[in-house]
Each structure stands twice: as structure tokens, then as C-alpha cells.
């Protein structure tokens, strides 16, 4: 199969490289000439474990290439995937579809033979209809089927998620479209991945409903964690105790500082707007958005509390800045409102993250960046674990105790066992664990 992938952001690049690895012929297209030039030199613009090797192998095998020219690859392709960004529109939280529509118009002008145009970007319900209309308006003779094929990739585990998906959702009722997309994904049937065919609008909604449900699950356990602290229960055990019920499941029940990233915050807000536009109210998702925003802001107060509610002239060491481990992504990261709040309360902040410090400098230019966890902790009044990178899971605790000014640890990811730290003489605060 010949595939054109429009957009070399996270989704486009991972999907393009994985499709090529299945044996398809993939051309990734982007308007950003510097990005394409870098990709042609073998430089990967995002941090994703395994992606550089996957791209290199497939470029070498001549199954994957990169270009700024959209017309050529689209004319040749049997399927064109739209994987451009859909950021939150400034001001109202709606998904900004201008890039999707611009891509649709450009694709329309270049289509030659029968082509399946697939939206992979997360788009509001009904966007496929508009893409179809725009293509028909721009090129009335184009023989196209517009389908929806949402992605469910997690940053840091995107290649695995692509190759071993729980399911693949293909939204089109057109038989020719189903055939092309079925053929593209056939290599995955070896991994027994269920291929689910739906109407286009249903596929579009599945994506938002999945992300909103996961965000709800996290927010639910975060609120139960707050209650655990008040009533003297342990959230880790509560989560396990409910998660072992198969109807609930253990995943996405890890209490923390609130969800961040490029998807959950944006998609929950957009889903609320979609519902409003259709005169339906999603009160649960509305609450999830508000509770999560408030939670992220509350984390600075939690740290202040561990220091006797006075942060004036205190030095706080922050471990982990990215919104989760194995990524350099700072979008909507809980570390941002946390650090801003700490500084507002008069604290001096130092931070270390294994991957995201370059990104972080843009958001948080006025803090000190350190080379490792120990130089970060040296002389600090408290250590705050914000992102659960593996390297923060087995820190040399006696060494930390020696070098810190005060042995105070605030563990926003429950990486450590309270008893272990308390035995070593630390004052420990976790999430959803009663304070002795
Ligand atoms: C998510 C979805 O998982 C993926 O299917 C979708 O396509 C894109 O959005 P991603 O944003 O990469 O992926 O990360 P994910 O691992 O889902 O984590 C999102 C946020 O939730 C992170 O801030 C993470 O720390 C938080 N989280 C996750 C928790 O706080 N607790 C959990 O139990 C799980």
C-alpha cells in the first residue's frame, strides 16, 4: 500500500514509521522545511523511545521518506492520513480545526485515482463530514472516501501501543474504504488486534469518550486519595482493592498531581464544547476538567504545608518536570502550576528532569536547572517528586538525607513507601496516605 501521512508531529511520525515497518510505502509530509530537512538527516524532532531506530531502519529499506511536497505523494497514495495538530482554540477550548481543513483542501487538489482520506488527528464529531464537503468543493471529480481512524498512542510507549493495540477503530460505512484500511492494518491481525468497523461519527466520538473516561478514572482516584488522607486510609491499597474487580480494572488508578499532556486536558475540554454545541451536557466531564485544574494548582499548597506553610527563603528541589516519564513533553505538565505556585509563595526552586529541561526552560525560565537528582537536592529544604522517572525510584536515600538541609520529601507519585523514609528520618508526605 502507498500511504501519504500529512503532519510529522507525534502521531504522524509514529504512525508513518510503524506503517512503513509493516511493509507499506510511506511518505511523511510536513510544511515545516526545517523539520523535514532534519528528518532527512535522520534527526528525530521528538523524544520517543525506539523511534529513531525505527525511522532509520525503514528509511534504509526505502519504505519511508520525508518531504515538504504534498501533491506528489498524495497523487500516488491509496490512503492519505491527516495527522496535523488540533490544538485548543485560544479562548473557548474548542479544537482548532484550521490545520485539518487546510490539509483537506490541499489534498483535494492533488488527488488522482480512488483515495481514502483518513483523519487520524483527534477531531470533533462531524469533522469527517466537513472534510468530505471541502474535498468535494475543491475537486468535484475526486473519487474519495473520508474515514476516521483515531489513534490511542501514549507518549513514551507509542510504538508498542501502535503495534500491539487493544483495538483499531475504523470509521466508515463505505466498503471500498473498509477494504483499504483493513489491508493497511492486516499485519496487526497476527497480534490478534480486533479491528472494529463503525460509522464515521461513532469512531470520532469513541476517541473523545475513551480519553474522557480515562481522565475521569484518574480524577476519581485523585479525589478518593484526598479523602483517604482525611480518613486515614491508604490510596495505594484502595486503588488495588477496587482495581482487582475486573469490572473496574487496575489501570489508570494511580493517584497523583493531576493529569497533563497533549491529549487529556485538550480533549476533555473539547468534548465539553462538543456536547454544549449539541445541547447535551456532560456534567461528569465538566467536573473532571475543573477538579483536575484545581488539583494541579493545589499541589504547591501541599508542598508548603509539608514545610509548615511558610516557603519564604526556602529552597525546593523538584525532581521531574515532564508531564510523565519517558517524554520531554511539558504540555499541561503539573510541574508548571506547582513551580509557579511555589515561587509565588517565596520559595527558590531548583529542578532536574532527565529529558525535558530544554522544553521546561521556555515555560519556566527563572528557576535553577541541575545536572542530576543529587545536585538538585543539595542544601534543599524539601525534595518534591513530580514525575516518576525510573531513575527516581531507587535514589540513594541516606545520601539525600546527608546533603539536604532538611529531610523533607513530598512524593506526588507515591514512588516510595512512607515507612521506609520515616525509618531513615525523613518527614514524608505522599498522595492519599494518612500522615502519621
Ligand atoms: C493519552 C492516552 O493514554 C492515549 O490513549 C491518547 O491517545 C493520548 O492521551 P498520554 O497523554 O501520552 O496518552 O499519556 P498517559 O499515559 O495516558 O497519561 C496522561 C496523564 O495522566 C499523565 O499526566 C499521567 O501522569 C496521568 N496519569 C495516568 C495519572 O495521573 N494516573 C494514572 O493512573 C495514569
Amino acid at each position: 500500500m502507498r500511504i501519504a501521512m500529512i503532519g510529522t508531529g507525534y502521531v504522524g511520525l509514529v504512525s508513518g514509521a510503524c506503517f512503513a515497518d509493516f511493509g507499506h510505502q510511506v511518505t511523511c509530509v510536513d510544511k515545516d522545511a526545517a523539520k523535514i530537512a532534519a528528518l532527512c538527516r535522520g534527526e528525530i524532532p521528538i523524544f520517543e523511545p525506539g523511534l529513531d531506530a525505527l525511522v532509520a531502519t525503514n528509511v534504509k529499506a526505502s519504505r519511508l521518506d520525508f518531504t515538504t511536497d504534498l501533491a506528489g505523494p498524495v497523487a500516488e497514495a491509496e490512503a492519505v492520513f491527516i495527522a496535523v495538530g488540533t490544538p485548543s482554540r485560544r479562548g473557548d477550548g474548542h479544537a482548532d480545526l484550521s490545520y485539518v481543513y487546510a490539509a483537506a483542501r490541499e489534498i483535494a487538489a492533488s488527488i488522482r485515482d480512488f483515495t481514502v482520506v483518513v483523519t487520524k488527528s483527534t477531531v470533533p464529531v462531524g469533522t469527517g463530514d466537513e472534510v468530505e464537503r471541502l474535498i468535494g468543493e475543491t475537486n468535484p471529480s475526486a473519487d474519495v472516501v473520508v474515514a476516521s481512524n483515531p489513534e490511542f498512542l501514549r507518549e513514551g510507549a507509542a510504538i508498542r501501543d501502535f503495534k500491539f493495540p487493544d483495538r483499531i477503530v475504523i470509521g466508515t460505512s463505505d466498503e471500498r474504504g473498509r477494504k483499504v484500511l483493513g489491508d493497511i492494518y492486516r499485519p496487526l491481525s497476527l497480534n490478534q488486534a480486533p479491528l472494529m468497523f463503525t460509522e464515521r461519527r461513532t469512531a470520532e466520538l469513541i476517541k473523545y469518550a475513551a480519553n474522557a473516561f480515562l481522565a475521569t478514572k484518574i480524577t476519581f482516584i485523585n479525589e478518593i486519595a484526598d479523602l483517604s488522607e482525611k480518613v486515614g486510609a491508604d490510596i495505594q491499597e484502595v486503588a488495588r482493592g477496587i482495581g482487582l474487580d475486573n469490572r473496574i480494572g487496575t489501570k489508570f488508578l494511580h493517584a497523583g498531581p493531576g493529569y497533563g499532556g497533549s491529549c487529556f486536558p485538550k480533549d476533555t475540554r473539547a468534548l465539553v464544547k462538543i456536547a454544549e454545541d449539541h445541547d447535551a451536557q456532560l456534567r461528569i466531564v465538566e467536573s473532571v476538567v475543573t477538579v483536575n485544574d484545581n488539583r494541579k494548582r493545589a499541589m504547591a499548597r501541599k508542598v508548603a504545608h509539608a514545610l509548615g506553610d511558610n516557603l519564604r527563603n526556602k529552597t525546593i528541589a523538584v525532581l521531574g518536570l515532564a508531564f510523565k516519564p519517558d517524554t520531554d513533553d511539558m504540555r499541561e505538565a503539573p510541574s508548571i502550576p506547582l513551580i509557579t505556585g511555589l515561587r509565588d509563595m517565596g520559595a527558590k526552586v531548583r529542578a532536574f528532569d532527565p529529558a525535558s529541561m530544554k522544553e521546561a526552560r521556555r515555560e519556566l525560565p527563572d528557576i535553577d536547572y541541575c545536572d542530576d537528582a543529587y545536585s538538585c537536592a543539595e542544601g534543599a529544604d524539601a525534595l518534591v517528586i513530580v514525575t516518576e522517572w525510573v531513575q527516581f525510584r531507587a535514589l540513594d536515600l541516606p545520601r539525600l538525607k546527608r546533603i539536604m538541609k532538611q529531610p523533607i520529601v513530598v512524593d506526588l507519585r507515591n514512588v516510595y513507601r512512607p515507612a521506609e523514609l520515616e525509618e531513615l528520618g525523613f518527614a514524608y508526605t505522599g498522595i492519599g496516605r494518612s500522615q502519621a
Side-chain angles (χ1 to χ4, degrees):
M1 283 276 169
R2 274 197 170 269
I3 295 173
M5 183 66 67
I6 314 302
T8 59
Y10 201 82
V11 173
L13 201 50
V14 171
S15 307
C18 287
F19 280 143
D21 210 44
F22 293 170
H24 301 308
Q25 193 64 43
V26 181
T27 299
C28 291
V29 181
D30 204 296
K31 280 194 177 331
D32 184 338
K35 203 167 173 189
I36 291 295
L39 282 163
C40 290
R41 290 193 301 269
E43 292 163 21
I44 308 296
I46 55 171
F47 179 93
E48 181 63 32
L51 187 59
D52 45 359
L54 192 74
V55 167
T57 310
N58 285 285
V59 167
K60 194 154 172 249
S62 308
R63 288 191 296 263
L64 179 63
D65 59 356
F66 303 97
T67 178
T68 51
D69 163 47
L70 182 138
V74 166
E76 299 285 316
E78 285 146 290
V80 179
F81 286 81
I82 301 179
V84 297
T86 52
S88 271
R89 202 161 61 191
R90 214 173 273 274
D92 67 2
H94 262 292
D96 178 350
L97 296 173
S98 50
Y99 301 108
V100 173
Y101 293 153
R105 283 202 189 85
E106 270 195 71
I107 291 164
S110 308
I111 279 175
R112 224 172 29 205
D113 307 316
F114 171 65
T115 309
V116 185
V117 176
V118 194
T119 47
K120 231 186 194 327
S121 306
T122 300
V123 290
V125 182
T127 302
D129 302 2
E130 182 60 10
V131 168
E132 192 172 84
R133 196 191 66 73
L134 286 172
I135 293 177
E137 185 183 88
T138 315
N139 181 355
S141 63
D143 185 11
V144 287
V145 165
V146 175
S148 161
N149 170 220
E151 55 81 21
F152 303 99
L153 310 177
R154 281 167 308 164
E155 291 189 19
I159 294 170
R160 222 202 110 73
D161 283 353
F162 197 95
K163 292 193 169 177
F164 299 92
D166 290 338
R167 78 311 204 180
I168 296 145
V169 176
I170 293 175
T172 171
S173 43
D174 183 278
E175 277 312 317
R176 291 188 303 167
R178 288 185 173 192
K179 165 98 179 53
V180 168
L181 283 163
D183 286 349
I184 288 175
Y185 280 106
R186 179 157 321 118
L188 287 180
S189 54
L190 293 174
N191 301 336
Q192 314 247 303
L195 215 61
M196 188 183 162
F197 291 99
T198 70
E199 295 290 319
R200 192 165 61 204
R201 285 179 170 237
T202 304
E204 289 169 343
L205 186 54
I206 285 172
K207 169 67 198 227
Y208 279 104
N211 275 354
F213 189 84
L214 292 169
T216 303
K217 218 175 161 186
I218 298 167
T219 306
F220 176 82
I221 206 67
N222 283 341
E223 286 204 313
I224 297 291
D226 291 348
L227 179 62
S228 295
E229 283 172 21
K230 302 267 189 260
V231 300
D234 184 325
I235 194 62
Q236 299 292 104
E237 289 174 20
V238 173
R240 190 169 153 73
I242 65 171
L244 287 174
D245 183 329
N246 280 332
R247 293 169 301 176
I248 296 173
T250 49
K251 292 181 181 162
F252 280 70
L253 282 183
H254 197 86
Y259 61 77
S262 62
C263 288
F264 288 169
K266 162 172 87 70
D267 292 350
T268 43
R269 280 183 215 126
L271 183 58
V272 166
K273 291 292 168 198
I274 294 169
E276 275 173 13
D277 288 350
H278 290 83
D279 237 348
Q281 220 187 340
L282 294 182
R283 291 194 187 84
I284 294 175
V285 186
E286 283 171 15
S287 303
V288 165
V289 171
T290 313
V291 170
N292 193 64
D293 285 347
N294 290 342
R295 180 172 194 80
K296 289 203 244 178
R297 282 196 292 270
M299 289 301 117
R301 289 196 294 279
K302 190 175 177 79
V303 174
H305 195 64
L307 282 133
D309 292 315
N310 181 5
L311 292 182
R312 285 266 146 238
N313 301 320
K314 296 277 167 35
T315 300
I316 312 290
V318 170
L319 294 189
L321 294 164
F323 82 96
K324 67 173 202 178
D326 295 325
T327 176
D328 62 354
D329 202 332
M330 286 295 294
R331 281 176 284 180
E332 311 254 3
S335 62
I336 300 170
L338 168 78
I339 290 174
T340 311
L342 293 175
R343 288 174 43 100
D344 286 348
M345 285 186 260
K348 194 168 166 308
V349 177
R350 283 191 209 146
F352 168 69
D353 186 284
S356 71
M357 293 202 286
K358 192 165 152 240
E359 293 291 316
R361 271 177 220 274
R362 273 189 245 154
E363 297 279 348
L364 301 161
D366 298 324
I367 61 171
D368 292 336
Y369 291 92
C370 304
D371 293 336
D372 61 33
Y374 300 99
S375 56
C376 187
E378 181 129 30
D381 291 283
L383 182 77
V384 187
I385 302 173
V386 186
T387 315
E388 67 279 33
W389 284 90
V390 172
Q391 61 174 269
F392 300 151
R393 287 175 185 268
L395 292 168
D396 180 344
L397 298 171
R399 179 175 170 197
L400 279 182
K401 175 123 189 293
R402 278 197 309 276
I403 61 176
M404 288 176 68
K405 190 165 166 202
Q406 295 192 71
I408 296 175
V409 170
V410 182
D411 178 2
L412 300 182
R413 300 286 183 172
N414 288 346
V415 171
Y416 287 96
R417 282 184 298 115
E420 185 188 357
L421 268 88
E422 279 153 16
E423 261 164 43
L424 287 166
F426 283 95
Y428 176 88
T429 307
I431 294 275
R433 292 157 149 184
S434 59
Q435 305 308 312

